[in-house]
Amino acid sequence: MSAVLDPHGHVAGDHGHDDHHGAPHGWRRWVFATNHKDIGTLYLLFAFTMFIIGGILALIIRAELFQPGLQVVNPELFNQLTTMHGLIMVFGAIMPAFVGFANWMIPLQIGAADMAFARMNNFSFWLMIPAAVMLSTSFFMPGGAPAAGWTLYAPLTLQMGPTMDSGIFALHILGASSIMGSINIIVTILNMRAPGMTLMKMPMFVWTWLITAYLLIAVMPVLAGAITMTLTDRHFGTTFFNPAGGGDPVMYQHIFWFFGHPEVYIMILPAFGIVSHIIPAFSRKRLFGYASMVYATASIAILSFIVWAHHMYATGMPVTGQLFFMYATMLISVPTGVKVFNWIATMWKGSMTFESPMLFAVGFIFVFTMGGFTGLICAMAPIDTQIQDTYYIVAHFHYVLVAGSLFAMFAGYYYWSPKWTGVMYNETRGQIHFWWTLISFNITFFPMHFLGLAGMPRRYADYPMQFADFNAIASVGAFAFGLAQVYFFCFVIFPTMMGKGEKAAASPWEAAEGLEWQVPSPAPFHTFETPPKLDSTATKIIA
């Protein structure tokens, strides 16, 4: 028999803490927020704001590349734009957005009252604001923004103006925020699950975030070390990366990519978790191969530490090293392929419907798989030597991160927003957003594969006439893609934030499983004050 829930999502008759049920009001609610739902909302709004800022920088880049010659910006500013676009999108948009999803959904999915460390949760969010301001306003500081590429390679970083230092400081702060958030997530998942929810009964999103949090704790200090060594090279007379003093710029690349490759999986594993909820819900079947999905996720995380130098084939690496990193990279495609196989097997002979979450999830599988294949091509050392630092790399990277992380986030928004807001989004607008986004994305990035194969280097503000046509197509696609996201905010997000729309049921998706669908919509401010009793599958609350 199902539990009878009162309007606050508690078992009826459990009124021991009625004085705490109401949400605080006014600005104090957000500034001093300790509730996981409020902090999740803050993260998501912050990430969307940074996504728009990063997107504006990208559109200036594409406006400059619309045709040969210098149209809009000079080459120095162009390099600043490419650098800041990358840093803002990676550290300001994608990572905080997934932390927002984690804050919102993990306590709901495991039956926890809140995150383990509520005040640290607040602190880890507010650290991001000064860091984001420092990054975003660096264009207006003396010398302009850092222009060393988002990877911040030496020796360029040793030659930059004072904003390089503010950029390093901002990344340190963002790293501290990530580490605190990760500790919070790990402790919450390991210590605060409802009785009966064993590790192998946890939702896939919770599993992917548990593994991602360990990855973050392992690699953020590595990035901190690399940029601190850069800082001491710049100001304190060390020569870690300065050849004039016996240092080695290639050492920076090794340290950076030892962080950078797990970072790629930090940005995609939570996306795998989201898709692993949506595919079964709209196929009306249980997820195929749950245990193998868990092991595949863990395998990807472990293997991500031994493939870093596949970013560095062009640095004069010995053939033995090239072969090792080539085979290791091909090996990491196996657990990723297991995931894609399991999603397809889940859909096989399912009773599928294609609402907006499912459209974005299927779109994710299709386009992310294309990005995976182009990545395998990059893994081949002889081919990579030709396409390294060309637009082929830009195309591959965006197929994985835009069609990967971003599409999954859109899917997750459409899937869970009824639980967050209490109202249903407009389905027609959601479908328009999907098709507009999918088509414009492919118009933007697919031609870049051909530009790269033809030899067009990335991070150049100008190019010869033979690359003009594909660049023009890509620029038109980019502006269309940007407009699609403005449409998404104005006509999908904003109306639901304002409470406009049909009232959402506790479980608007008939086949969706999980504890989050057992509480009312919108999810009450305090959801599980006492741990719920679960059935044997740990997906339903029982009396």
Side-chain angles (χ1 to χ4, degrees):
M1 188 180 107
S2 293
V4 179
L5 299 176
D6 68 12
H8 301 292
H10 311 122
V11 176
D14 177 20
H15 295 295
H17 303 279
D18 278 358
D19 53 326
H20 299 308
H21 284 167
H25 297 291
W27 60 270
R28 289 172 189 274
R29 169 178 179 176
W30 302 103
V31 173
F32 302 122
T34 52
N35 184 281
H36 72 97
K37 302 178 186 75
D38 284 353
I39 294 173
T41 303
L42 287 170
Y43 266 109
L44 289 166
L45 289 172
F46 168 83
F48 194 82
T49 304
M50 296 305 285
F51 173 61
I52 295 299
I53 293 170
I56 290 168
L57 302 184
L59 292 183
I60 300 171
I61 292 168
R62 286 315 318 172
E64 174 56 56
L65 294 172
F66 181 67
Q67 58 187 34
L70 296 177
Q71 335 293 330
V72 183
V73 295
N74 61 42
E76 178 65 18
L77 180 55
F78 184 87
N79 287 342
Q80 294 173 23
L81 290 167
T82 54
T83 302
M84 298 312 295
H85 166 70
L87 288 173
I88 286 171
M89 286 302 202
V90 170
F91 295 104
I94 291 181
M95 288 171 68
F98 278 134
V99 177
F101 276 99
N103 264 291
W104 245 108
M105 298 316 302
I106 287 173
L108 283 179
Q109 291 190 325
I110 65 173
D114 207 306
M115 297 295 280
F117 305 117
R119 294 196 188 281
M120 188 167 86
N121 206 10
N122 174 285
F123 187 46
S124 65
F125 170 75
W126 285 109
L127 273 180
M128 303 188 77
I129 304 300
V133 169
M134 266 195 288
L135 278 179
S136 305
T137 58
S138 57
F139 289 101
F140 309 107
M141 296 179 192
W150 82 274
T151 50
L152 304 177
Y153 274 5
L156 285 172
T157 44
L158 310 181
Q159 301 158 6
M160 291 284 121
T163 52
M164 191 69 239
D165 303 319
S166 67
I168 288 170
F169 188 34
L171 288 181
H172 271 300
I173 296 172
L174 290 167
S177 169
S178 291
I179 290 168
M180 285 196 289
S182 300
I183 292 168
N184 213 345
I185 286 166
I186 290 169
V187 175
T188 303
I189 294 170
L190 295 184
N191 289 353
M192 298 181 68
R193 302 190 308 280
M197 183 173 284
T198 60
L199 285 175
M200 291 308 285
K201 288 180 182 173
M202 291 196 313
M204 273 308 302
F205 181 67
V206 178
W207 256 118
T208 54
W209 245 115
L210 178 64
I211 291 166
T212 300
Y214 277 113
L215 276 180
L216 273 164
I217 289 174
V219 301
M220 289 311 289
V222 177
L223 175 67
I227 58 179
T228 303
M229 290 155 86
T230 302
L231 193 70
T232 60
D233 273 13
R234 285 170 56 80
H235 297 294
F236 300 108
T238 59
T239 54
F240 292 113
F241 310 130
N242 185 353
D248 184 2
V250 175
M251 182 172 77
Y252 176 87
Q253 295 189 31
H254 279 289
I255 300 169
F256 178 86
W257 285 115
F258 189 79
F259 149 80
H261 205 81
E263 167 68 13
V264 170
Y265 292 102
I266 285 163
M267 292 189 282
I268 201 66
L269 289 182
F272 290 166
I274 292 171
V275 171
S276 298
H277 283 271
I278 293 169
I279 297 287
F282 293 92
S283 301
R284 288 155 184 81
K285 283 173 66 185
R286 279 286 174 87
L287 179 66
F288 181 90
Y290 169 89
S292 64
M293 289 290 259
V294 173
Y295 297 136
T297 307
S299 304
I300 289 169
I302 293 162
L303 290 170
S304 71
F305 285 100
I306 62 162
V307 296
W308 78 88
H310 67 204
H311 297 269
M312 299 171 54
Y313 289 142
T315 58
M317 190 189 304
V319 173
T320 315
Q322 292 186 25
L323 284 170
F324 169 81
F325 287 106
M326 203 162 95
Y327 294 143
T329 305
M330 294 199 292
L331 189 62
I332 209 169
S333 67
V334 175
T336 312
V338 167
K339 287 181 165 297
V340 174
F341 171 81
N342 284 9
W343 291 324
I344 293 169
T346 304
M347 291 188 280
W348 181 255
K349 294 194 174 176
S351 180
M352 289 197 292
T353 53
F354 292 94
E355 290 88 347
S356 299
M358 185 64 161
L359 282 176
F360 271 106
V362 174
F364 163 90
I365 294 172
F366 172 63
V367 195
F368 174 78
T369 303
M370 287 173 61
F373 279 128
T374 58
L376 269 178
I377 292 167
C378 297
M380 305 298 123
I383 304 174
D384 187 73
T385 307
Q386 301 298 313
I387 58 177
Q388 172 62 25
D389 265 333
T390 70
Y391 264 80
Y392 189 93
I393 303 295
V394 178
H396 157 67
F397 189 69
H398 285 82
Y399 262 80
V400 173
L401 275 185
V402 181
S405 302
L406 193 64
F407 273 38
M409 282 192 256
F410 288 146
Y413 174 82
Y414 284 111
Y415 184 58
W416 282 313
S417 70
K419 185 58 59 186
W420 301 344
T421 62
V423 296
M424 293 298 294
Y425 63 88
N426 183 298
E427 182 60 45
T428 306
R429 292 175 184 174
Q431 304 229 356
I432 291 170
H433 175 227
F434 168 72
W435 289 110
W436 189 350
T437 298
L438 181 74
I439 293 166
S440 58
F441 167 80
N442 281 289
I443 291 171
T444 306
F445 294 106
F446 199 74
M448 292 185 191
H449 293 104
F450 302 119
L451 287 169
L453 290 169
M456 179 175 167
R458 61 180 174 172
R459 299 178 183 167
Y460 275 53
D462 195 8
Y463 53 86
M465 200 66 206
Q466 74 237 39
F467 301 132
D469 292 347
F470 279 139
N471 268 300
I473 293 167
S475 292
V476 170
F479 277 89
F481 184 83
L483 277 175
Q485 310 329 313
V486 174
Y487 173 86
F488 173 57
F489 181 78
C490 295
F491 296 103
V492 179
I493 297 179
F494 190 71
T496 55
M497 283 172 62
M498 295 295 104
K500 294 176 181 170
E502 182 186 327
K503 185 157 178 19
S507 180
W509 319 116
E510 61 184 78
E513 286 192 337
L515 302 189
E516 71 264 38
W517 305 114
Q518 304 280 303
V519 301
S521 298
F525 191 68
H526 294 292
T527 313
F528 301 112
E529 286 187 359
T530 54
K533 292 189 177 70
L534 307 182
D535 69 354
S536 60
T537 64
T539 59
K540 288 188 172 62
I541 301 171
I542 57 174

